[in-house]
């Protein structure tokens, strides 16, 4: 080995070392290893050029005590001009601390040695294979970037010719299977070999899954042993309560193929146990295992119990993939018809959806009497969803309430997913009708609680997101914000940030930012909610467009405000429009006309009698048009017709306009109006109406300070923002001291759990801080937060 080191140094081509190395080459065969190493180091000490020692496959040194001692000696006495690069599948048994501290060590683990997608593509191109990007991506995914796997993919591509079949062929490649069997499995101890045969049942595994499948309690220790031994297993970074591990896909595929071939009965039992474990975690995976176990009935039953939840999670593709695995002729065939119905309805294919419903009806007739009531409940839910998709959410409120009454009177207890889904759907419909907010809030809370108790997280979060909208009527907007932020943070953990039913929570954050005067953040949140929402939810779309119009007006972007007015118009004119939309659109139009300088037209619109029910903000907007057009008496008359105390943010706006109008008339009670506005704004910092008043309201606020106020701090904050020209509070000032601290960690590679340990706080507290940071920065993930914080110079 030492002779190899001498030879390697000689091959470096450094001429000044040549004469000193010659005696070492001559004496290498008979010299004591340590003496020869010292002589070699002495030569390197005399060299001025930097030297890098590369040690590859260091895991092979495990058990070679003499070689380890020699390399440790080199590392201990390595000259300052030497760097060491170590490549190993496992942590090498070497003393590397000093080199680490001196920043002279490069340590490459097996995952760092894997090819990137670009390197896989380059390897294919260098081998003369010009494949399309999709094929290269599939090969990279199948091999995990493992260089040997990529090389085998190149050979397989040449052999089979069918480029798109290469990932499949790699999983069947006999040469690769033999390599894994002889070079990997054969080298393992008996207990570890048996563990690997069982634990590679899935590419993604966790200790509880493996223990459940094997009937053991030591899976975590064994998985960590596999990671430490570099056995094609890596631990996934994340904040889950239980660690998850990822087997290399080719390794897992070939090892499991061996289990199926050599131990078929064992494979069947493993798949059956895995189906039971996965059924409560991920239905498509559970169904795949049930089918692999030859248990079509179990696969069908899992699908029947979980397809609605998959749909609510927005996982339509996963639901369809699961559906393809369900055997034909199953007793649960009716659920396949129901699932296809909703997919077709979402795609707007009403004729085929109707045909699927007929199929579901026929299937129901074949069910045993005891199974029919629950299936008919699911049929009723699908019919309710069809109504909502076809006619809008408001149209689903009445039949949904009738369905809940039917559940209440039925002898059997409805499935929790069905009950919670109907409660949420009815709550959504009632919200769009502005009907009995107390009952609506109770219904949505009940839906969330039912979903929570049965582990239906997507449904729970959807109900809570919807709850944010009717809860506005109760005030305490900051408390609602905390719910919305928490909902979105929990959804982000599961990768559900784009789930359509979460759009109300995002929209609420946009509404709140508008009322607080954070206009850029409001615009970002409202734009995001528009891209998420259910396509048939016209009511929410109109409300979001309404706020976007107001945001653009405040920002001075009149062209975009006018464009939003144009988008609202056809919705107002449609046969699905709510009666109060007309007053909302007229009020918005008046504000836009005033901003465009068409004062006469704006006043004419503001003074036009309204016969339809009023939108809550409509009179306040019309009064604002009149006050800014120099007609304060008419503005006050308009405000006198407004009911007070219903929505705190609307009261705040109305009192601000009232204060302006009274001040124009020289009335001293303008200060009383302003004090009322400040009282309404204070708890939730609803400073938007004050900021929207510009210099006119700023002068009135300055006079109000001299007059005397119980809200001097709020007045000072508003005046400071007006004076600085900021239409929103600086994000850096909005972040708390703790949030600033957490923000600085985001640019590191620390996990949330590691941040929690560093700050001596709980993991839940870290997640809450992150959710608040994301909301204040107007972003949805860590990477975006880092970019936004850099833009704002918050680091």
């Amino acid at each position: 080995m030492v002779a190899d080191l001498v030879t390697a140094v000689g091959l470096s081509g450094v001429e000044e070392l040549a004469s000193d190395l010659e005696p070492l080459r001559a004496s290498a065969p008979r010299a004591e290893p340590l003496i020869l190493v010292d002589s070699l180091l002495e030569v390197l000490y005399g060299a001025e050029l930097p030297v890098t020692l590369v040690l590859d496959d260091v895991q092979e040194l495990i058990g070679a005590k003499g070689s380890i001692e020699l390399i440790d000696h080199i590392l201990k006495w390595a000259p300052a001009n030497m760097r060491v690069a170590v490549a190993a599948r496992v942590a090498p048994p070497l003393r590397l601390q000093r080199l680490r501290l001196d920043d002279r060590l490069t340590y490459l683990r097996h995952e760092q040695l894997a090819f990137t997608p670009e390197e896989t593509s380059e390897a294919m191109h260098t081998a003369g294979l010009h494949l399309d990007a999709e094929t290269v991506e599939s090969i990279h995914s199948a091999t995990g970037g493992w260089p040997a796997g990529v090389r085998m993919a190149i050979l397989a591509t040449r052999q089979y010719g069918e480029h798109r079949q290469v990932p499949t062929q790699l999983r069947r490649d006999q040469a690769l299977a033999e390599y894994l069997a002889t070079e990997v499995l054969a080298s393992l101890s008996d207990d570890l070999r048996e563990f690997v045969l069982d634990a590679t049942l899935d590419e993604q595994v966790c200790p509880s899954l493996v223990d459940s499948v094997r009937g053991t309690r030591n899976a975590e220790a064994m998985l960590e042993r596999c990671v430490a031994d570099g056995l094609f297993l890596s631990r996934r970074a994340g904040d889950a309560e239980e660690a998850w591990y990822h087997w290399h896909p080719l390794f897992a595929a070939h090892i499991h193929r061996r289990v199926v071939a050599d131990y078929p009965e064992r494979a069947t039992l493993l798949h059956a146990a895995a189906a039971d474990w996965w059924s409560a975690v991920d239905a498509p995976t559970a169904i795949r295992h049930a089918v692999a176990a030859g248990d079509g009935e179990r696969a069908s039953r899992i699908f029947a119990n979980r397809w609605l939840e998959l749909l609510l999670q927005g996982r339509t593709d996963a639901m369809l993939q699961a559906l393809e695995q369900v055997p034909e002729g199953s007793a649960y065939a009716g659920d396949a018809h129901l699932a296809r119905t909703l997919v077709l309805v979402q795609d707007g294919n009403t004729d085929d959806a109707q045909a699927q419903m007929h199929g579901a009806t026929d299937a129901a007739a074949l069910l045993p009497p005891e199974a029919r009531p629950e299936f008919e409940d699911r049929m009723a839910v699908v019919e309710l969803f069809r109504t909502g998709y076809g006619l809008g959410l408001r149209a689903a409120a009445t039949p949904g309430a009738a369905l809940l009454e039917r559940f209440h009177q039925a002898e059997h207890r409805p499935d929790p997913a069905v009950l919670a889904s109907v409660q949420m759907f009815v709550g959504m419909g009632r919200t769009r009708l502005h009907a009995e907010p107390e009952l609506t809030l109770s219904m949505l809370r009940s839906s969330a609680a039912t979903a929570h108790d049965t582990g239906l997280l997507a449904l729970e979060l959807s109900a809570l997101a919807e709850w944010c909208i009717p809860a506005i009527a109760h005030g305490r907007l900051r408390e609602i914000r905390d719910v919305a932020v928490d909902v979105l943070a929990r959804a982000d953990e599961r990768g559900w940030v784009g789930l359509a039913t979460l759009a109300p929570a995002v929209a609420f954050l946009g509404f709140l930012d508008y009322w607080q005067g954070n206009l850029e953040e409001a615009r970002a949140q409202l734009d995001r909610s528009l891209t998420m929402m259910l396509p048939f939810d016209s009511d929410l779309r109109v409300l979001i467009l309404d706020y976007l119009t107001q945001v653009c007006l405040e920002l001075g972007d009149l062209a975009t405000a006018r464009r939003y007015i144009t988008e609202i118009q056809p919705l107002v004119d449609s046969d699905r429009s709510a009666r109060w939309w007309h007053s909302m659109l007229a009020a918005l139009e008046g504000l836009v006309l005033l901003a465009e300088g068409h004062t006469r037209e704006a006043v004419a619109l503001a003074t036009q009698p309204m016969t339809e029910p009023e939108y809550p903000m409509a009179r306040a907007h019309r009064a604002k048009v009149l006050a800014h057009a120099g007609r304060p008496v008419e503005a006050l008359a308009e405000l006198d017709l407004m009911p007070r105390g219903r929505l705190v943010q609307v009261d705040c706006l109305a009192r601000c306009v009232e204060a302006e109008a009274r001040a124009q008339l020289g009335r001293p009670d303008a200060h009383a109006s302003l004090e009322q506005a400040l009282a309404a704004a204070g708890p939730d910092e609803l400073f938007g109406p004050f900021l929207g008043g510009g210099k006119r309201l700023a002068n009135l606020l300055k006079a109000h300070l001299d007059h005397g106020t119980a809200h001097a701090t709020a007045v000072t904050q508003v005046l400071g923002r007006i004076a600085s020209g900021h239409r929103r509070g600086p994000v850096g000032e909005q972040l708390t001291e703790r949030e600033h601290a957490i923000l600085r960690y985001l640019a590191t590679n620390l996990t949330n759990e590691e941040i929690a340990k560093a700050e001596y706080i709980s993991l839940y507290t870290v997640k809450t801080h992150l959710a608040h940071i994301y909301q204040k920065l107007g972003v949805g993930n860590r990477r975006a937060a880092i970019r936004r914080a850099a833009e704002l110079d918050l680091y």
Side-chain angles (χ1 to χ4, degrees), residues 18-39:
S19 58
D20 293 327
L21 287 174
E22 194 57 40
L24 297 182
R25 286 198 192 95
S27 62
R30 58 183 182 276
E32 284 291 330
L34 280 177
I35 295 175
L36 189 58
V37 165
D38 285 334
S39 300

Side-chain angles (χ1 to χ4, degrees), residues 211-234:
D211 277 334
S212 177
V213 166
R214 303 188 77 232
T216 58
R217 296 183 179 179
N218 66 341
E220 184 172 11
M222 296 296 284
L223 288 167
E224 286 296 325
R225 181 176 167 188
C226 291
V227 172
D229 289 351
L231 200 54
F232 294 92
L233 184 68
S234 58

Side-chain angles (χ1 to χ4, degrees), residues 655-677 697 700 704 707:
R655 301 292 75 79
C656 282
V657 175
E658 184 179 72
E660 286 189 67
R662 287 178 172 177
Q664 287 181 49
L665 295 171
R667 291 172 51 173
D669 55 358
H671 290 290
S673 299
L674 207 51
E675 192 71 359
Q676 290 173 356
L697 197 57
L700 188 56
H704 192 60
H707 179 272

Side-chain angles (χ1 to χ4, degrees), residues 95-137:
R95 296 184 179 90
L96 303 171
Q97 293 85 346
R98 184 175 68 84
L99 290 170
R100 266 202 193 93
L101 291 173
D102 293 342
D103 194 26
R104 291 193 288 133
L105 175 70
T106 301
Y107 177 31
L108 302 174
R109 294 179 178 272
H110 68 283
E111 61 265 23
Q112 294 169 299
L113 294 171
F115 284 171
T116 64
E118 293 76 17
E119 289 168 337
T120 298
S121 178
E122 184 178 348
M124 292 286 174
H125 184 77
T126 303
L129 299 175
H130 304 287
L131 310 180
D132 61 83
E134 184 179 351
T135 302
V136 173
E137 173 57 33

Side-chain angles (χ1 to χ4, degrees), residues 366-381:
L366 301 176
L367 289 173
E370 64 274 11
R372 203 169 297 161
E374 286 192 3
F375 181 73
E376 289 174 348
D377 288 346
R378 292 195 289 275
M379 283 185 66
V381 171

